[in-house]
């Protein structure tokens, strides 16, 4: 049944014309096209309508403005307000009398009092469900008045613009229901479902209605946007309903994951959580945080925005946590795969002082530039500059990693840098020193870098030399010897006005040790004016004694004991040796090698005394091949390392040949 509805003149267009007449055409045209992410000004009085549900792009224009704004759920509309839907967009509005207004795509409605309904229908298609339960469909075109079509069949389920959620790749058995009718001529025969509003044959399917149960039908459907109606004899006898089946998936946790360890300088620093949603426009989502993998007790349960993809939580102490996201889509609930992470305090920040380098020297009057390198994490740095007495020369808090100062006085200085984060120290460099001088640099001469001092008779002094500098009256040189390069363990410290010093060695250890030395130019009151670099030397008492360098017999020498006599072993004299240990092995006997498991020294003896020409005669030697080695013995009866092994051979000479028979007969 069709009827015609005459609509009165449109106030919205009159308003636009009035504005143009004022001379603001360009400005108004610009603002009318704006899509501002706000809800616009609220009206006053009793709301004419409330937005129940929407899909895609739906906008509102208040009566006080001509700017279109995005709508929000449960937003109120007042007299003269307008609502507009975009392409493939719909909206469900509840009027103040309880009626429902379902706007199809590309529709425009102005809320106002009219003779037959509380709104002005501008364009598109609208379905109105009156408070008495009857339904009508309004269609407005560019030509002629709006067309109104009343229906005796009312669609019940699915509700208008319903959103039904399913799990991925599954189908939903959806129940369709509508109001029954006693008029056989309007008894529905088919339920038609289409993927578009035009119900073309290619996109539509028809399902016959069970005569025994004429008001209900169940159909399995997958993900998609659907339109449905009931029909008889190829003609629609109900309005077009719309619903959407949406595939819902759990969130994907992006960070922190895989038992990640997150280091922080301070527990007050928040932790950023990153996540992804395939569907960011539906459902409600909460981030759950627990100390247990079973999530028995939640530490935090925070609502999150699926579109932002991140949330920062504070107030978390250092420990291990488990987190997941709980997503609710209608009556369907999803839990993401949980992940764990551990919060722990970050180690102090590493700082490296670059310039001035440690023990560097500069001439007085030049600009001194400071530069350092740092790991990330600091928001500022504190540089401290002091003299050798600890008196503060300068202190600066900086955002950069460089600084400079002019005209430092002659003297020795120390500097260090502290890394700061929110005014709290999170790392500190080592202390580095440099010198500002007016004369020549203090140059160390003897002992040279890496020199070894080796003594059997402990000397009472050790000589240190350096290049003389332009010391003024009242200034002295101070020699320092320490066990470490930082001079925290000073062994001796002596002063002199000469560039040579015989330092006392009674504090040097009797065993092998590394020592470091330097020279300072100081005033009489102890103020360090200049300082040399650092050199290292090795001090060794009772060093291991070396074996003789020359030994005889040489390799492979053969002795004929019958004609030449017994072999004699000889070697050169070794300084500080008080004896020598000789080890002799029989390697071969009767042409056969001696088995290694039976190999024992043939002879092992010590030749005592520090002889000028040490020798060892060997007696009654049997034929065979021998090897021998020698080591020196010191005055403490310690054997030094053995010499390289040498071989020689002992024989009885050549075997005699049989005598020749000279006579013709035996006498």
């Amino acid at each position: 049944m069709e009827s015609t509805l005459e609509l009165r003149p449109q106030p919205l267009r009159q308003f636009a014309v009035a504005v143009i007449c004022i001379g603001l055409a360009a400005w108004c045209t610009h603002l009318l096209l704006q899509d501002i992410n706000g809800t616009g000004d609220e009206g006053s009085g009793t709301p004419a309508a409330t937005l129940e549900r929407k899909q895609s792009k739906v906008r509102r224009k208040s009566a006080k403005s001509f700017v279109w704004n995005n709508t929000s759920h449960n937003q109120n509309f007042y007299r003269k307000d307008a609502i507009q839907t975009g392409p493939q967009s719909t909206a469900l509005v509840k009027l103040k009398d309880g009626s429902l207004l379902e706007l199809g795509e590309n529709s425009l409605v102005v809320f106002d009092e009219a003779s037959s309904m509380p709104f002005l229908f501008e364009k598109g298609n609208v379905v109105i469900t009156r408070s008495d339960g009857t339904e009508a469909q309004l269609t407005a075109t560019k030509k002629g008045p709006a067309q109104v079509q009343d229906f005796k069949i009312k669609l019940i389920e699915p509700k208008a613009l319903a959103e039904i959620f399913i799990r991925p790749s599954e189908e939903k058995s959806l129940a369709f229901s509508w109001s029954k009718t006693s008029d056989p001529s309007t008894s529905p025969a088919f339920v038609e479902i289409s993927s578009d509003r035009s119900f073309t044959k290619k996109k539509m399917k028809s399902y016959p209605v069970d005569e025994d149960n004429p008001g209900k039908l169940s159909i399995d459907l997958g993900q998609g946007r659907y339109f449905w109606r009931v029909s008889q004899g190829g003609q629609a006898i109900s309005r077009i309903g719309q619903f959407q089946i949406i595939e819902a998936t759990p969130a994907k946790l992006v960070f922190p994951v895989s038992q990640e360890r997150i280091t922080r300088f301070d527990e007050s620093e928040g932790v950023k959580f990153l996540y992804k949603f395939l569907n960011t426009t539906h459902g409600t989502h909460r981030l759950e945080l627990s100390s247990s993998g079973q999530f028995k007790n939640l530490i935090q349960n925070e609502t999150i925005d699926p579109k932002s993809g991140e949330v920062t939580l504070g107030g978390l102490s250092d420990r291990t946590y488990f987190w997941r996201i709980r997503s609710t889509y209608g009556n369907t609930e999803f839990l993401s795969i949980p992940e764990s992470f551990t919060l722990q305090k970050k180690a102090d920040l590493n700082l490296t002082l670059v310039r001035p380098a440690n023990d560097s020297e500069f001439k007085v009057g030049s600009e001194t530039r400071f530069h350092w390198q740092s790991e990330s994490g600091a928001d500022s740095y504190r540089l401290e500059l002091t003299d050798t007495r600890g008196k503060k020369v300068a202190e600066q808090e900086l955002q950069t990693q460089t600084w400079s100062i002019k005209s430092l006085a002659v003297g020795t200085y120390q500097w260090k840098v502290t890394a700061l984060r929110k005014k709290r120290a999170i790392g500190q460099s080592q202390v580095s020193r440099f010198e500002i001088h007016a004369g020549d640099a203090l140059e160390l001469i003897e002992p040279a870098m890496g020199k070894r001092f080796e003594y059997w008779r402990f000397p009472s002094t050790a000589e240190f030399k350096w290049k003389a500098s332009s010391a003024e009256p009242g200034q002295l040189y101070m020699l320092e010897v320490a066990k470490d390069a930082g001079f925290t363990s000073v062994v001796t410290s002596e002063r002199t006005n000469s560039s040579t010093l015989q330092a006392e060695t009674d504090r040097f250890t009797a065993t092998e040790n590394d020592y470091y030395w330097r020279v300072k130019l100081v005033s009489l009151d102890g103020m360090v004016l200049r300082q040399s670099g650092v050199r290292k030397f090795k001090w060794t008492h009772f060093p291991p004694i070396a074996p003789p360098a020359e030994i005889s017999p040489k390799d492979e020498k053969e002795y004929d004991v019958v004609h030449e006599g017994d072999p004699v072993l000889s070697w050169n004299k070794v300084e500080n040796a008080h004896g020598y240990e000789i080890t002799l092995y029989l390697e071969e006997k009767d042409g056969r090698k001696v088995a290694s498991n039976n190999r024992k020294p043939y002879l092992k003896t010590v030749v005592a005394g520090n002889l000028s020409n040490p020798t060892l005669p060997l007696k009654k030697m049997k034929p065979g091949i021998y090897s021998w080695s020698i080591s020196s013995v010191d005055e403490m009866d310690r054997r030094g390392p053995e010499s390289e092994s040498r071989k020689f051979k002992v024989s009885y000479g050549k075997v005699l040949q049989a005598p020749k028979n000279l006579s013709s007969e035996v006498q």
Side-chain angles (χ1 to χ4, degrees), residues 65 88 138 240 278 360 366 371 445 449 480 499 509 533 546 594:
S65 173
Q88 296 186 345
L138 286 71
I240 298 174
L278 294 179
S360 56
S366 61
H371 173 56
I445 299 175
M449 176 66 79
E480 290 183 329
S499 60
T509 58
V594 178

Side-chain angles (χ1 to χ4, degrees), residues 104-119:
E105 62 181 358
N106 300 319
S107 299
L108 174 63
V109 168
V110 179
F111 297 98
D112 200 355
E113 296 295 332
S115 57
S116 58
M117 56 187 73
F119 62 90

Side-chain angles (χ1 to χ4, degrees), residues 206-280:
S206 296
Y207 299 88
V209 175
D210 187 357
E211 294 180 358
D212 296 331
N213 194 9
K216 293 182 179 179
L217 184 67
S218 293
I219 302 173
D220 292 338
L221 295 172
Q223 179 185 10
R225 184 165 175 249
Y226 297 96
F227 300 87
W228 74 292
R229 66 189 181 187
V230 292
S231 66
Q232 184 186 56
Q235 297 294 323
I237 58 174
S238 75
R239 69 174 179 89
I240 298 174
Q242 181 179 338
F243 63 92
Q244 190 173 4
I245 297 179
I246 302 168
E247 235 183 38
T249 57
K252 180 181 179 182
L253 308 188
V254 178
F255 178 86
V257 295
S258 304
Q259 302 177 356
E260 188 136 13
R261 291 189 175 272
I262 302 174
T263 57
R264 305 175 297 174
F265 292 109
D266 196 328
E267 287 190 358
S268 63
E269 296 182 22
V271 179
K272 181 179 287 187
F273 295 82
L274 304 179
Y275 48 84
K276 284 184 179 180
F277 285 92
L278 294 179
N279 189 333
T280 60

Side-chain angles (χ1 to χ4, degrees), residues 61-134:
K61 187 188 76 63
S62 71
K64 300 177 182 179
S65 173
F66 42 84
V67 178
W68 289 97
N69 298 275
N70 289 335
T71 57
S72 60
H73 182 64
N74 289 332
Q75 184 166 16
N76 291 326
F77 291 82
Y78 297 84
R79 186 173 181 270
K80 301 289 187 180
D81 285 357
I83 183 171
Q84 184 183 57
T85 58
Q88 296 186 345
S89 302
T90 54
L92 184 66
V93 178
K94 188 174 184 179
L95 303 178
K96 66 179 181 179
D97 65 353
S99 302
L100 292 176
L101 201 63
E102 184 181 338
L103 283 75
E105 62 181 358
N106 300 319
S107 299
L108 174 63
V109 168
V110 179
F111 297 98
D112 200 355
E113 296 295 332
S115 57
S116 58
M117 56 187 73
F119 62 90
L120 298 176
F121 181 39
E122 297 285 338
K123 67 175 183 177
N125 60 82
V126 173
V127 174
I128 180 169
T129 303
R130 304 182 182 92
S131 57
D132 60 3
T134 60

Side-chain angles (χ1 to χ4, degrees), residues 455-507:
Y455 292 100
W456 284 87
R457 295 291 176 266
F458 204 73
S460 59
T461 61
E463 187 176 63
F464 295 84
K465 293 182 180 180
W466 55 91
K467 184 179 178 180
S469 180
S470 54
E472 299 178 1
Q475 297 177 352
L476 297 172
Y477 296 109
M478 183 169 67
L479 169 72
E480 290 183 329
V481 181
K483 292 183 179 180
D484 62 286
F487 286 80
T488 58
S489 301
V490 176
V491 174
T492 184
S493 177
E494 300 182 38
R495 298 189 181 193
T496 180
N497 56 7
S498 173
S499 60
T500 302
L501 180 65
Q502 298 289 333
E504 298 293 333
T505 60
D506 55 344
R507 294 186 182 180

Side-chain angles (χ1 to χ4, degrees), residues 287-308:
L287 188 151
E288 298 179 346
L289 189 68
S290 175
S291 59
S292 163
Q294 289 74 39
F295 290 84
K296 292 182 179 179
N297 298 313
L298 296 183
I299 297 173
Q300 292 204 29
N301 187 11
E302 188 82 10
T303 300
I304 60 174
D305 180 5
K307 294 181 180 179
S308 70

Side-chain angles (χ1 to χ4, degrees), residues 266 268-270 377-380 397 420-426:
D266 196 328
S268 63
E269 296 182 22
D379 51 37
S380 62
E397 188 165 329
L420 304 174
R421 186 181 180 91
K422 298 178 181 178
K423 303 295 183 181
R424 190 178 69 86
I426 59 173

